[in-house]
Amino acid sequence: MSTQRHVGQCPRSPGRKSGAAAKMSAQIQSSPIVPSMYRSLVLSCKVSGDPGPKEFVWEKKGIHKPLQKGPIDILLFRSLNKTHLGTYTCKVSSPQGTAVATYNLWIDDLKYRVFVFPQASNDSYVLLQARPEHPLLNFTVCLRSYTDLTRPHSLFSYATKEQDNEILLLKFKPTEYHFYVGGKYVAFHIPENYMDPEHVCVTWESPSGIVRFWLNGRPWPRKGLQKGYVVGNEAVVVLGQEQDAYGGGFDVLQSFTGEMSDVYMWDFGLSDSEVKMLHYSEPEVAPIFGWRNFPYKTEGEVYLMS
């Protein structure tokens, strides 16, 4: 039995804050949203909860000395290159306290490319090398898949040590998707689209438990799941396998074969118009990870192809 973590009244997504918090908090934002190699990039350390003077310490994982220290809340890259890739931290201090934010800078631009899973296995998958900074009170997952499988197969598996099916998008059969949060699921029934690519988006919000599902930009009736639950952020995220244990426990009979692309995850819910736009083009809102900035590692027999 899974252990549920519940929250009080009126929880709020970490990705979209409203108003000043009682405690100082920080978040790193990038401009542009999707970094490009050999172009300028600005990381901004946005602080809420303390309007007074502050000191900012910028650090990079693997470098022992601070990159920058003082009252400046931005870190500027005049021409981004591969040496700049990595994990950055902004530590903010003031008389009222301290706050820390992190940012994963990756430039794996997979536009016009797909992952090909050529055969069923229990050791071939894509590992996502990014995860949310905070526990999730709502989120969105989108991806595109192309397969002729008729058996159950896992597309997106997000596992924590407490719950292996913390988030899971599973196509149970050609006419049915199962979407899990915290070990429980709702089913969405679809028309059979044999040998057609399918673009799927799913959102979930903790306050109401409402799940929204879109297939190829078309919304399905909303359903309820795990109201008040909190999704942990200490997670392993895998494409193409279902985790029956944290980071493993794969079953060949639930593995994916076919093609997968356009994988995105946000720490807030998308609207109808945002999903419809995403079906045809690129998002305007910054994801936790996305296809134009995709931190991944392949294991086993998975190929990245044009």
Side-chain angles (χ1 to χ4, degrees):
M1 181 178 294
S2 64
T3 301
Q4 294 202 22
R5 300 175 292 284
H6 290 267
V7 296
Q9 295 181 345
C10 299
R12 187 172 73 217
S13 166
R16 287 183 175 176
K17 300 178 183 292
S18 60
K23 185 178 179 180
M24 185 169 69
S25 62
Q27 183 180 43
I28 297 176
Q29 298 177 356
S30 68
S31 179
I33 291 173
V34 179
S36 298
M37 202 67 77
Y38 310 118
R39 296 188 178 182
S40 65
L41 172 70
V42 176
L43 299 184
S44 303
C45 192
K46 302 297 184 181
V47 180
S48 61
D50 184 354
K54 291 169 281 289
E55 181 181 70
F56 298 85
V57 179
W58 287 91
E59 298 178 330
K60 181 182 180 183
K61 186 176 180 180
I63 298 178
H64 300 297
K65 293 183 179 181
L67 304 176
Q68 185 174 294
K69 184 176 181 180
I72 306 301
D73 63 351
I74 66 170
L75 188 64
L76 172 64
F77 303 85
R78 297 187 184 279
S79 180
L80 199 63
N81 61 60
K82 290 186 177 181
T83 66
H84 295 135
L85 303 183
T87 300
Y88 289 82
T89 301
C90 171
K91 297 181 179 179
V92 190
S93 59
S94 77
Q96 293 191 25
T98 60
V100 178
T102 59
Y103 178 85
N104 292 308
L105 177 56
W106 303 97
I107 310 291
D108 288 311
D109 187 345
L110 305 189
K111 188 175 183 179
Y112 305 125
R113 309 192 77 184
V114 299
F115 286 123
V116 177
F117 300 76
Q119 61 186 6
S121 76
N122 63 356
D123 59 4
S124 298
Y125 57 94
V126 178
L127 176 67
L128 275 295
Q129 296 177 304
R131 62 189 185 190
E133 293 183 11
H134 311 282
L136 297 174
L137 300 182
N138 51 48
F139 63 84
T140 303
V141 171
C142 296
L143 57 84
R144 196 181 308 273
S145 66
Y146 182 40
T147 183
D148 59 0
L149 285 174
T150 57
R151 60 164 172 78
H153 53 276
S154 175
L155 296 165
F156 182 97
S157 174
Y158 177 113
T160 63
K161 292 180 180 179
E162 293 78 19
Q163 175 55 254
D164 56 347
N165 290 335
E166 189 79 321
I167 302 171
L168 175 65
L169 180 61
L170 177 83
K171 193 166 187 191
F172 186 68
K173 56 185 178 180
T175 58
E176 187 174 328
Y177 278 90
H178 287 184
F179 176 66
Y180 288 73
V181 173
K184 297 183 179 181
Y185 77 91
V186 289
F188 291 93
H189 300 274
I190 65 168
E192 186 164 2
N193 296 312
Y194 182 69
M195 292 301 293
D196 286 338
E198 293 182 351
H199 181 258
V200 170
C201 285
V202 191
T203 70
W204 171 83
E205 61 177 42
S206 175
S208 64
I210 292 297
V211 176
R212 303 191 70 188
F213 178 91
W214 291 263
L215 176 65
N216 296 332
R218 175 188 169 189
W220 254 239
R222 307 176 199 203
K223 297 187 177 183
L225 177 67
Q226 293 283 54
K227 179 179 179 180
Y229 189 79
V230 179
V231 171
N233 63 311
E234 296 294 326
V236 174
V237 187
V238 166
L239 307 179
Q241 298 282 355
E242 180 184 353
Q243 299 176 76
D244 286 332
Y246 183 69
F250 304 137
D251 182 349
V252 65
L253 297 179
Q254 294 177 322
S255 64
F256 175 73
T257 65
E259 301 179 8
M260 193 182 305
S261 64
D262 300 309
V263 182
Y264 289 87
M265 184 178 188
W266 292 265
D267 55 0
F268 49 81
L270 296 188
S271 65
D272 270 330
S273 61
E274 288 170 329
V275 170
K276 288 177 182 177
M277 180 193 70
L278 185 65
H279 178 50
Y280 298 104
S281 61
E282 298 166 14
E284 294 182 350
V285 288
I288 299 170
F289 51 77
W291 209 237
R292 300 302 306 274
N293 187 1
F294 203 67
Y296 76 95
K297 179 182 179 183
T298 58
E299 297 287 351
E301 194 175 0
V302 181
Y303 302 99
L304 183 63
M305 307 187 76
S306 299

